[in-house]
Amino acid sequence: MERVQELHDAPLAPLTTFRLGGPATRLLTATTDAEVIDAVREADAAGTPLLIIGGGSNLVIGDKGFAGTALRIATKGFALDGTKLELAAGEVWTDAVERTVEAGLAGIECLAGIPGSAGATPIQNVGAYGQEVSATITEVVAYDRTAGETVTIPNAECAFSYRHSRFKAEPGRYVVLRVRFELEDAGGLSAPLKYPETARALGVEAGDRVPAATARETVLKLRAGKGMVLDPEDHDTWSAGSFFTNPILTEEEFAAFHARVAERLGPDVKAPAFPAGEGLTKTSAAWLIDKAGFTKGYGTGPARISTKHTLALTNRGDATTEDLLALAREVVAGVREAFGVTLVNEPVTVGVRL
């Protein structure tokens, strides 16, 4: 095995945007695909538990840490060939977005400011402001731990859906090495804007195009206003961004929810509702949290709801993971009691459960 950087009893909190969690028995940092594969194979052969860490923006690690090998993927690689883009898994996502916009290409400009690494984007099918990576990913190169080989998975076989994918459905099987995209050359313009808030902020209609750089800058401002752009000085960004996914309800579930809203808030109040496929409706987790009484800044302990956005749970500086989970459980229970809807956490939990 190539010699990767190796640390023992290594703190993991600094590798996460929450800045929470205990140490790993061993921490390896891999800077090439070969190092990643070797480290994974070694752990699998020895039966050692393995935790993959990219940008750490979607991880909630327990206070006891991780008894096993944590593998930090720090690979580099940004290759643009016409409208084709290939990113190494360890590339900083928001930097990659900026470089594609500078190259005059459209397709991921509204995903600016999302923390984390490129390799994590297909796992969650990362999306924001009307764009999802599944719309531009052509294929994902990954190490398949079950087959013991490197595989190239085309978009159609990634099983992408809202904040979900084949990679998330089979946790622990695939280690993403590279992600390939097909972007659009629209003469420096953005893709058609799909998200009403973005269009409003730009003073245009949904479906219009604007300069891609302008779309990117607008999204960054919108995200920063919600504490969703990393800033070490701002505890509102000591978070995993959106902590809960937006619930998707069947017709029956939505009817029951609608009745609860009318009963609690009055018959004239309409909950946010967006079509989410045949017979399904998506509603807003942020709206649910707020209307259940968990407003911005809620909490008295070291873990609180962000002062800028009800969907972000934050570490105010000296929280523990248990503090964070206690707050998350309180919010889940409160929303369930108020509206009969059970929120699901978006970040991956390690050694703990919500």
Side-chain angles (χ1 to χ4, degrees):
M1 176 175 159
E2 295 181 39
R3 282 294 59 174
V4 298
Q5 183 194 47
E6 182 172 334
L7 297 170
H8 292 266
D9 197 27
L12 295 180
L15 302 181
T16 74
T17 51
F18 264 125
R19 294 166 169 79
L20 292 176
T25 308
R26 184 170 74 140
L27 172 65
L28 303 178
T29 299
T31 56
T32 67
D33 289 355
E35 288 178 357
V36 172
I37 293 167
D38 284 349
V40 173
R41 281 182 171 155
E42 181 199 55
D44 287 350
T48 306
L50 183 68
L51 171 64
I52 305 294
I53 299 179
S57 59
N58 206 44
L59 277 182
V60 177
I61 298 172
D63 292 317
K64 289 181 180 175
F66 183 70
T69 296
L71 174 61
R72 181 169 164 260
I73 298 182
T75 52
K76 293 286 171 218
F78 176 101
L80 204 49
D81 178 11
T83 54
K84 291 179 167 51
L85 170 68
E86 180 178 288
L87 296 176
E91 279 289 326
V92 175
W93 172 253
T94 194
D95 294 351
V97 172
E98 182 177 13
R99 290 174 73 176
T100 65
V101 170
E102 285 171 353
L105 298 176
I108 55 175
E109 63 281 354
C110 291
L111 302 177
I114 292 175
S117 61
T121 60
I123 298 169
Q124 286 282 109
N125 183 17
V126 162
Y129 295 96
Q131 289 182 344
E132 287 182 329
V133 290
S134 56
T136 48
I137 286 176
T138 55
E139 53 192 22
V140 176
V141 180
Y143 178 70
D144 181 344
R145 295 168 68 184
T146 302
E149 62 184 17
T150 301
V151 293
T152 300
I153 303 172
N155 180 298
E157 294 174 23
C158 290
F160 287 125
S161 60
Y162 172 66
R163 298 296 173 273
H164 203 70
S165 70
R166 172 180 183 172
F167 312 104
K168 192 171 178 183
E170 297 186 75
R173 177 170 178 178
Y174 297 101
V175 180
V176 175
L177 300 172
R178 309 200 151 253
V179 189
R180 294 176 180 145
F181 301 81
E182 178 67 49
L183 302 176
E184 180 190 5
D185 186 349
L189 294 178
S190 68
L193 297 169
K194 292 182 180 176
Y195 200 69
E197 186 184 6
T198 319
R200 276 198 306 273
L202 285 158
V204 298
E205 298 293 317
D208 288 352
R209 294 177 185 260
V210 298
T214 307
R216 174 182 167 271
E217 286 157 17
T218 301
V219 165
L220 285 172
K221 282 180 189 161
L222 289 170
R223 289 186 68 86
K226 298 172 184 177
M228 298 285 187
V229 177
L230 294 181
D231 176 355
E233 302 303 312
D234 181 0
H235 284 288
D236 279 335
T237 75
W238 290 33
S239 77
S242 301
F243 195 87
F244 300 104
T245 54
N246 289 322
I248 294 177
L249 307 175
T250 63
E251 288 178 16
E252 190 179 344
E253 288 168 341
F254 188 76
F257 167 56
H258 190 72
R260 293 286 282 272
V261 170
E263 181 187 324
R264 184 181 176 92
L265 303 174
D268 298 331
V269 175
K270 296 282 184 281
F274 312 94
E278 195 171 340
L280 298 173
T281 302
K282 181 166 73 173
T283 191
S284 163
W287 186 90
L288 287 167
I289 293 165
D290 183 65
K291 298 302 181 189
F294 303 101
T295 50
K296 294 173 187 174
Y298 177 88
T300 55
R304 300 181 198 175
I305 289 177
S306 164
T307 66
K308 301 182 183 74
H309 199 316
T310 52
L311 207 45
L313 308 188
T314 68
N315 170 10
R316 305 319 291 184
D318 54 358
T320 63
T321 302
E322 209 39 58
D323 293 329
L324 176 77
L325 293 174
L327 175 63
R329 290 174 188 129
E330 184 185 356
V331 171
V332 170
V335 168
R336 189 190 296 122
E337 186 182 345
F339 299 112
V341 175
T342 300
L343 295 177
V344 176
N345 52 294
E346 191 167 318
V348 175
T349 54
V350 178
V352 288
R353 295 180 70 175
L354 195 59

